[in-house]
Structure formats: C-alpha cells, structure tokens
Amino acid sequence: MRVVLLGPPGSGKGTHGKGLSAELGVPLISTGDILRQAIAEGTRLGLAAQADVKAGRLVADETVLGLIETRLGLPDAKEGFLLDGFPRTVAQADGLGTLLQSGSCHNLDHVVNLVVPVEVVVNRLRERWLCGSCGTIYNLSSKPPKVAGICDVCGSTLKQRADDEPATVRARLEVYQRR
Ligand code: AMP
C-alpha cells in the first residue's frame, strides 16, 4: 500500500501515520524526521537544512527529493510506504510521480488530506511533547505522560520541538497554505 498523508503541521500526520504504519505493515517516512535526525547528527544534509528547518521555511526541493529517492530505494519500502510531510510543493509532487514511474510504474493507492483549523493546530503544537528516544508523541491536555517530562513507553526524557514555538508555527502554517 502506497499512501501520502497531507495536512498542516500538527494535523496528526505523525500520530495517525504511526498507527497506520503498524496496521498496514509499511514504513512511515517523514521528511521532517529525516531532516531532524540529519541535523542532530551534523551530516552535510543536516547542515544544509538546519537554518530552514529552524525558521519553519521549506528546505530546497532538490534536497528533499534526493533524500526521498534514497529512502524509497531501501528494501522496507519496496511493497509500500506512508509518506508524512512529503510532497509539500508541486515540484516535489512531480518528482514523486517520476520516481514512482521509474520504479516500474507504481501508483499511489491513497492520498489522505487532514483538515484542522489554524487555532487548534497552534494550541496543539504548543502542548506537544515528544520522546527523544522512541518518538512517542504526547499532548499535555489530551494525552499527558503519567509522569511529567518522562516517556510512558521507554522512560526517556520528553522534549519540545524548537519549531513548535507559536511564532514559528504560524510561519510554518503560512508556508503550508501558500504552497
Ligand atoms: P514536519 O516535521 O513535517 O513539520 O517538518 C519540519 C520542517 O522540516 C519543516 O518546517 C521544513 O522546514 C522541513 N521539511 C519537512 N518536510 C519538508 C518537505 N517535504 N519539503 C521541504 N521542507 C520540509
């Protein structure tokens, strides 16, 4: 099954994507997660993307297309995938089409568009905390951890994403709506 999850930041792509990925047995591929990992590891990709991610701007299409091409080429994506946060521009959508055709013409099975009002998203992201180790997502109002600041699943420390700060969230939403 090949699925694209669309929707603004904070619309639930990551949360629903995790559940769907387990249910469908295909990997959840998040360009945001790949970029954040590259930044944390200080790779060339990470260094190139760092300023844009921090400011909530889109990373260059060629950069993102390159990383998606590499990721979709790995064996676990052969039978399907869930894409979270990609494509975000027409050029990326065209690039995905070309990639799928070059891999013996696989079509997408579903494109799911999550629609959530802006104020809900801003509030949700303000209250979002993530586990730095296993990636479990919490919300202080709707899904708080049992012990403040600690992941229920693996016991690691929870953190907030630097780009979830309200001013940056608004910039990310503007970018999302413009494309
Ligand atoms: P996300 O985790 O999907 O909210 O993405 C976090 C940040 O990573 C975005 O604000 C962008 O800076 C960058 N990013 C993620 N996916 C893309 C993409 N498909 N194209 C360009 N930039 C992206």
Side-chain angles (χ1 to χ4, degrees), residues 49-60 168 171-172 175 178:
Q50 196 161 21
D52 286 331
V53 172
K54 188 159 182 247
R57 293 187 298 261
L58 290 186
V59 173
T168 313
R172 288 162 63 201
V175 168
R178 259 206 320 269

Side-chain angles (χ1 to χ4, degrees), residues 31-32 35-36 52-53 56-59 64 85-86 88 92 161 163 172:
T31 42
L35 290 166
R36 278 185 290 279
D52 286 331
V53 172
R57 293 187 298 261
L58 290 186
V59 173
V64 179
F86 176 91
R88 263 171 152 103
Q92 291 179 17
R161 271 175 52 174
D163 60 352
R172 288 162 63 201

Side-chain angles (χ1 to χ4, degrees), residues 142-166:
S142 59
K143 190 196 165 196
K146 291 193 183 94
V147 178
I150 302 294
C151 179
D152 295 351
V153 179
C154 71
S156 298
T157 308
L158 302 182
K159 58 179 188 179
Q160 280 196 292
R161 271 175 52 174
D163 60 352
D164 278 351
E165 181 257 324

